[in-house]
Amino acid sequence: MAGRADEMVIAGMKPHSIANNANPFLRLHRGISFILFVDSLIVLLIVSQIVNGFSSSIQTTVLGGLAALLMINWLAYRNKHPLVYWLGAAVIAMAGLFFAINALFSLYSFFTGDAMSLLFVFLFSWAMFGSFRRSLSHFHPGYKNAYAGRDEEIPGLELEPGEMLAACPHCMAVLAIRPDLLNPKDNCPYCQLALVNSELASKYEEE
């Protein structure tokens, strides 16, 4: 086993996703950057509906200028420019709010007799929670440090017997855990999502 310590992988991550001691938050940043791109298109769609009643010249000016700003914002965020950190979070949150409003409208349509609206309730709700969760990731100090390029050193923790350091598979927060005591009811103290997959846990319980 000698010399294998450098092959350890953070819990919840695929071995091939880590190379050259890459910061584990980089994968999260890539995912959020993609969501920011999609949500920027959603924001552009929202504004296009708002200015729909104006003249074509105004529509072209507003939408063209906004599209350029959103593209610049996305490129700067992808390259981790500090000035657009919270602007990126705001765009994602704005899209999340749009999804929430549409989910409520779809729910109202379902209760008024449109059965197909139930599908849109689930789709918009899923998109809403996804956007809000990624927007809230910007408040996590670990992600903030990784975005700013600051190396976040894990303090020297005195682990109790049986404990080990691992990362939440959702928000990548570093936690001290007891693998033998984990169960599907245990949630991450940061993102409140399950640390253990319920299907995987039930599979091992059956075995």
Side-chain angles (χ1 to χ4, degrees):
M1 296 297 291
R4 290 180 59 83
D6 57 345
E7 298 179 12
M8 294 181 62
V9 192
I10 294 178
M13 298 190 69
K14 299 177 181 178
H16 60 73
S17 66
I18 299 180
N20 299 324
N21 297 321
N23 192 306
F25 287 93
L26 291 179
R27 189 179 71 167
L28 180 61
H29 175 260
R30 286 194 296 268
I32 293 179
S33 297
F34 175 74
I35 294 299
L36 175 60
F37 177 77
V38 176
D39 286 353
S40 296
L41 297 179
I42 298 297
V43 171
L44 190 64
L45 176 63
I46 297 172
V47 175
S48 69
Q49 296 299 317
I50 295 175
V51 301
N52 191 36
F54 293 89
S55 63
S56 59
S57 59
I58 294 179
Q59 292 184 41
T60 302
T61 302
V62 172
L63 294 179
L66 181 60
L69 290 175
L70 289 173
M71 180 58 68
I72 293 172
N73 175 61
W74 174 69
L75 291 173
Y77 186 92
R78 191 179 64 170
N79 292 313
K80 302 178 188 175
H81 197 288
L83 294 180
V84 299
Y85 182 78
W86 290 112
L87 183 57
V91 171
I92 296 174
M94 189 181 302
L97 182 61
F98 168 78
F99 293 135
I101 294 174
N102 278 273
L104 291 176
F105 276 118
S106 298
L107 185 63
Y108 173 79
S109 298
F110 172 73
F111 284 122
T112 54
D114 186 1
M116 284 297 297
S117 296
L118 186 60
L119 174 62
F120 292 100
V121 171
F122 286 113
L123 291 176
F124 283 125
S125 297
W126 175 78
M128 174 192 69
F129 284 116
S131 292
F132 283 152
R133 184 157 61 93
R134 285 165 176 81
S135 181
L136 291 175
S137 296
H138 292 77
F139 291 95
H140 193 286
Y143 181 70
K144 191 180 298 184
N145 288 334
Y147 183 93
R150 294 189 294 266
D151 292 330
E152 185 181 16
E153 296 183 358
I154 301 175
L157 300 176
E158 294 184 4
L159 298 178
E160 297 181 359
E163 283 188 340
M164 63 177 289
L165 292 178
C168 169
H170 304 286
C171 69
M172 299 302 166
V174 179
L175 307 171
I177 65 168
R178 285 282 301 272
D180 54 324
L181 298 180
L182 280 177
N183 62 74
K185 295 182 180 180
D186 290 328
N187 296 329
C188 172
Y190 293 99
C191 66
Q192 303 303 320
L193 295 176
L195 293 172
V196 180
N197 184 283
S198 58
E199 295 181 359
L200 183 63
S202 61
K203 176 183 177 181
Y204 280 99
E205 288 176 358
E206 293 175 357
E207 296 177 354

